[in-house]
Every structure is written in C-alpha cells, then in structure tokens.
Amino acid sequence: MFHYRISGLSVASETELPGAIPAALALEPDVTVQLTPLPMELAGASTTGPNWQMDGEAFLLHVPRVGRFLMSAGKSITVALDDGATPRDASVFVLGSALGILLHQRGALVLHGSAVARDGRAIAICGHSGAGKSTLAAALCQAGCSFVTDDICVVGLNSARQPIVLPDGRQLKLWRQSIEKLDLDGRQGEAVREDLEKYFIAPEDVAVEAPRLSAIYVLRESRPPLTDGIGELDLPDAMRMLEYEAYRPGLRRRLGSAPQMLAQAGAMFGHARVFRLVRPLDFARMGETVDALLQHWDGL
C-alpha cells in the first residue's frame, strides 16, 4: 500500500501514484484507492452524461482507453482498467478528475488553480486550461515563493474562520516549452503521460502548513480590448469568477453543492480579495509579470 497526503487528505492507494509526494507517516486514510472490477453501468443511476453516471453518493466516470473510476461518498476511488491500460495510465486521472469529484462529494471548495505562498500568506492563480497557471506558479517559486498546490486548489477555513489553502502533496506539471524557458531541466521528472510532452517538476520549497489565502488572481491574456494590468473584481464579479473558476463547475452543480459553495464563498471573500491579472503570453516578459504580481501582493 502506498500512502500520501493530498489536498489535506490522507490517501492510501493500492497502486503507486506518480507525481504525488509520499507521506512520511502512514496515517489512517481519509480516502482509499483500489483497483478492482466494476460494472459497466451504475445501478439506479439518477443522472447521466456522455461518459458518466451518478446516483446519490456514487459517481462513475469512464475515460475511454483508460478505465472506469467510481467515487463513493467522498471516501474511496475504485478503478477498473480498460483493455491495454495500465495503473500508470489511470494514475493521472485518479489525481485529476477522480480526486476533484471526490473533493466535491466531501463538500470542499475547490478552485481550478495553482497556489504559492510567502510569509505565511498564499495567493491562488486561477484560469482556464492553458492559461498559464502552473507556469506562473513555477516562475513565482523561482522568485522565492513556496509551492502550495497545482491545478486543484482546495480552500478550507482555519480555527479563526479565515480561508486557507490546503497543501497539495503533488508535484507541478509543466509542458516541455515552459521547462526550457524557465531553465528547470534539472528538476524535471517523468512524463505525466507517455503521449504528452508534459512532465512532473519537483518543487524546491514546499509549504507544509496551510497558508492563509490573501488573494485570488484570475489570469487573462492581454489582447484587445484587454490591456496589461491588475484590477480588483467587485463582489458580484468575484462570485461569477468563483462559479466559472471552480474545478469542473458543471459537475459541481450536478452534485448539488451550490448552496454550500455560497456559504463558503462568503467566508472566503471576507478575507481574500479577487483580482484580474491581464498579461502577455510571452516568456520574454515573464519576469515583468512576476515583478508586477509580487509588488501588487506586497501592497495588499
């Protein structure tokens, strides 16, 4: 059995999960991951989609040519491999979509974003797939920040009801071009998937404790009519951002967590401000973006 601590949860897995950082201690698991046969259909499914079925606290997801993933009551992920697929193929989806759905089942507030920390404060970097969240997080880590999370950003509350980001327990994932431009070849690990030029990157400094979330920056590319700069969102726009930037927002709505998310958002926005960061998708100007973001963050 392999043991990890991911997004604040202790995870015990029958199969190794590449990209996850092994836990120092084998804790009583919050979540188990098993490989075992699964039925093709979810008996009594009340809601279905092109590749998924849901019934109460059970959610069955099929990833073609990889396998079926059953998430149950926020406590277990069961995987049945398709013909020719390996546990290594499935591990990417266990740590991605399957974990994201399971976190929604547990009622967590999950952003589609990366996060870094400095001086006990964290910022979350949100944006659509390909917006450059991981690359900017890696560049900020090179500028002295600690790595907190990549792609799945779970926001909880501390004892003072302040929002905190739960440390990821996984490595950064970067495309080959980003690795070369940021000169991170020495930290490159194995490929995320055999058919992708995307690789795990071991972070140099990892936040161990959950830092307080001080701001969320939503990434946008500078193109007309948007120009470079950082602007604060008012509360209605921040709420729309949360709806749009949640991890798998459509699935979250189907899982019925909208009322809970509103309460969580109220607590979060009482302490963390939301900004739109417009910058060029140009590696030559990455240093300018990092400097502008750090200067803005220091002024909060």
Side-chain angles (χ1 to χ4, degrees):
M1 191 69 77
F2 298 88
H3 295 273
Y4 306 95
R5 189 158 185 83
I6 303 172
S7 297
L9 301 173
S10 58
V11 177
S13 175
E14 284 187 342
T15 181
E16 186 176 9
L17 300 175
I21 301 171
L25 296 173
L27 304 173
E28 183 69 23
D30 300 306
V31 177
T32 59
V33 180
Q34 297 177 299
L35 287 171
T36 191
L38 287 171
M40 296 298 293
E41 306 289 338
L42 186 62
S46 58
T47 311
T48 63
N51 62 344
W52 58 268
Q53 304 160 52
M54 182 175 69
D55 180 38
E57 294 185 316
F59 193 106
L60 181 64
L61 172 70
H62 182 217
V63 180
R65 298 183 296 279
V66 178
R68 280 166 290 130
F69 301 78
L70 177 65
M71 284 61 72
S72 302
K75 296 180 179 178
S76 66
I77 300 173
T78 306
V79 183
L81 299 173
D82 282 356
D83 291 342
T86 67
R88 177 72 175 78
D89 298 327
S91 67
V92 177
F93 298 93
V94 168
L95 291 174
S97 297
L99 179 65
I101 293 168
L102 181 139
L103 288 164
H104 283 313
Q105 288 180 331
R106 297 180 69 94
L109 178 56
V110 190
L111 300 176
H112 187 197
S114 302
V116 299
R118 190 171 64 164
D119 299 329
R121 296 190 304 152
I123 58 168
I125 305 163
C126 293
H128 56 73
S129 296
K133 304 181 293 294
S134 300
T135 300
L136 181 54
L140 286 165
C141 288
Q142 286 184 312
C145 297
S146 300
F147 172 68
V148 183
T149 187
D150 184 33
D151 198 44
I152 294 179
C153 179
V154 180
V155 179
L157 296 175
N158 63 16
S159 58
R161 303 289 295 171
Q162 297 171 324
I164 54 175
V165 180
L166 302 181
D168 197 342
R170 292 174 292 178
Q171 298 177 338
L172 274 162
K173 301 184 290 293
L174 292 181
W175 293 100
R176 182 63 200 159
Q177 182 187 28
S178 296
I179 295 170
E180 292 175 350
K181 295 294 185 181
L182 295 175
D183 195 21
L184 287 169
D185 299 77
R187 310 195 72 81
Q188 178 181 319
E190 58 184 307
V192 174
R193 292 176 62 180
E194 291 183 356
D195 55 345
L196 292 180
E197 286 288 307
K198 195 172 191 179
Y199 299 88
F200 292 115
I201 298 294
E204 186 171 358
D205 183 24
V206 179
V208 176
E209 303 295 331
R212 180 171 60 83
L213 179 63
S214 61
I216 300 171
Y217 293 88
V218 182
L219 298 185
R220 294 291 183 267
E221 182 182 3
S222 56
R223 60 172 63 181
L226 297 178
T227 57
D228 294 3
I230 298 175
E232 186 165 8
L233 303 185
D234 59 22
L235 184 58
D237 282 343
M239 289 300 298
R240 280 191 285 273
M241 177 285 301
L242 185 62
E243 174 67 20
Y244 184 72
E245 305 295 344
Y247 191 80
R248 302 288 192 272
L251 288 176
R252 182 190 56 73
R253 286 192 293 271
R254 290 183 180 277
L255 288 164
S257 58
Q260 186 174 18
M261 189 198 74
L262 284 175
Q264 293 166 324
M268 181 171 70
F269 291 147
H271 298 273
R273 298 162 67 182
V274 184
F275 302 90
R276 180 185 292 112
L277 169 57
V278 181
R279 86 285 185 237
L281 283 180
D282 182 350
F283 278 103
R285 297 180 60 187
M286 177 63 77
E288 294 177 32
T289 300
V290 168
D291 290 344
L293 180 52
L294 290 177
Q295 185 176 1
H296 186 268
W297 187 8
D298 286 341
L300 296 180

